[in-house]
Amino acid sequence: MNEQSVIFFDIDGTLLDHNKELPVSTKEAIHELKRRGHFVAIATGRGPFMFKKIGDELGIDTFVSYNGQYVVVKGEVVYKNPMELASLEKLIQASVKNDHPIVFMDPNKMKANVPEHPYITAGFSSLKVGTPTVDPLYYQENDIFQSLLFCEEGKEKQYEEEFPAFDFVRWHEVSVDVLPKGGSKAKGIEKVMEKLHIPNDRIYAFGDGLNDLEMLSTIENSVAMGNGVDEVKEVAKYITKPVDEDGILHGLKMVGLL
């Protein structure tokens, strides 16, 4: 058997195609990786409740979720980094003035601070995970690991200047992820590796979006999807085919794991 490696996969645009479906070749490739003794994990901006079905289907119980803020290894929570409450309250006040809705996210649920908004509808329809129910005070009683701020491109700049406690990472033309400053998938992966003790040259990562930049620029064996944004292609060691052209299978062969 090959020496064990660990492979981290982003979800949207990496494991899932643009229809939010798991290509057959991807599913077979991941099962083959596991059959060969490798360790497979997820690294995503989604929350755990948003990818449980994928995790169950692929038999994956190790993940970096919320862009590194909530990390689970073999079913055990090993790291939590919730948003700082006082700063979050100020962000909410500013966003309400600007008619920019917010969605609060914890490991089990997501709650919006307004009943309806076209931007929320647009963002979540692209994810195909349903829309959040409303509870404007949900953040007061629950640890929030990531929020979604809904605003047009460029409008996040004012928040970046006003709220240094947070990072703002765009994932949709009308929405940005809001997470604790300095948080990233790369940081979350560090927490996983503290438990797994696999050397750096046996760590691999696949991704396609702006929230994969830190992960693909720090992990030695990084693979950008052919459908990925230019920024991730510039920092990745390898570039594979697009997700809907058997990109995962091709990439795993490219790096010698299959």
Side-chain angles (χ1 to χ4, degrees):
M1 187 182 75
N2 293 337
E3 188 178 358
Q4 186 181 47
S5 295
V6 58
I7 306 97
F8 291 89
F9 293 98
D10 167 55
I11 292 180
D12 297 285
T14 301
L15 286 179
L16 296 184
D17 63 20
H18 305 297
N19 295 316
K20 302 303 175 189
E21 294 177 354
L22 186 69
V24 172
S25 65
T26 296
K27 184 175 181 179
E28 291 175 349
I30 286 174
H31 286 313
E32 179 62 17
L33 277 178
K34 295 174 70 178
R35 192 188 70 77
R36 295 187 183 198
H38 297 304
F39 197 96
V40 179
I42 283 171
T44 181
R46 292 184 179 219
F49 69 94
M50 299 170 74
F51 60 86
K52 185 179 185 304
K53 180 184 174 189
I54 302 162
D56 290 346
E57 189 173 352
L58 296 175
I60 297 174
D61 62 359
T62 294
F63 56 81
V64 171
S65 66
Y66 289 135
N67 291 309
Q69 312 321 302
Y70 191 85
V71 180
V72 169
V73 177
K74 299 178 181 177
E76 176 193 357
V77 180
V78 299
Y79 179 70
K80 297 194 288 187
N81 184 32
M83 301 179 76
E84 198 262 312
L85 183 58
S87 296
L88 179 56
E89 287 192 312
K90 290 176 182 174
L91 174 67
I92 294 162
Q93 291 168 6
S95 69
V96 167
K97 286 181 185 175
N98 295 324
D99 189 28
H100 292 157
I102 286 185
V103 171
F104 312 114
M105 310 181 90
D106 71 9
N108 304 307
K109 293 178 182 176
M110 55 183 175
K111 297 287 184 178
N113 71 331
V114 296
E116 289 181 1
H117 197 285
Y119 287 177
I120 292 180
T121 302
F124 279 96
S125 66
S126 74
L127 289 174
K128 297 189 177 180
V129 292
T131 51
T133 53
V134 180
D135 185 349
L137 302 180
Y138 189 74
Y139 69 94
Q140 294 181 353
E141 302 292 332
N142 300 275
D143 282 341
I144 304 302
F145 293 92
Q146 182 171 281
S147 293
L148 304 181
L149 174 67
F150 289 82
C151 62
E152 305 92 337
E153 288 192 48
K155 292 288 180 67
E156 68 272 23
K157 299 297 181 192
Q158 65 195 77
Y159 296 102
E160 290 171 358
E161 293 169 7
E162 193 175 344
F163 298 98
F166 301 137
D167 282 330
F168 297 82
V169 183
R170 186 159 291 279
W171 65 274
H172 188 276
E173 59 188 21
V174 295
S175 186
V176 291
D177 293 328
V178 187
L179 51 145
K181 188 73 175 180
S184 69
K185 292 182 182 182
K187 293 280 178 62
I189 287 172
E190 287 178 12
K191 302 299 179 183
V192 176
M193 301 321 298
E194 286 172 11
K195 294 287 184 180
L196 296 185
H197 307 296
I198 292 175
N200 289 339
D201 64 346
R202 305 299 300 173
I203 305 173
Y204 296 77
F206 286 70
D208 73 304
L210 292 174
N211 63 340
D212 297 314
L213 270 173
E214 293 88 354
M215 175 174 78
L216 296 185
S217 60
T218 55
I219 285 183
E220 192 171 324
N221 301 297
S222 57
V223 185
M225 303 301 291
N227 50 277
V229 298
D230 291 342
E231 291 93 330
V232 300
K233 291 179 179 177
E234 287 168 9
V235 301
K237 185 174 181 180
Y238 305 95
I239 301 174
T240 184
K241 294 178 180 179
V243 57
D244 52 4
E245 295 176 24
D246 301 329
I248 293 296
L249 175 61
H250 181 77
L252 290 169
K253 289 180 176 178
M254 183 187 296
V255 301
L257 288 171
L258 290 183

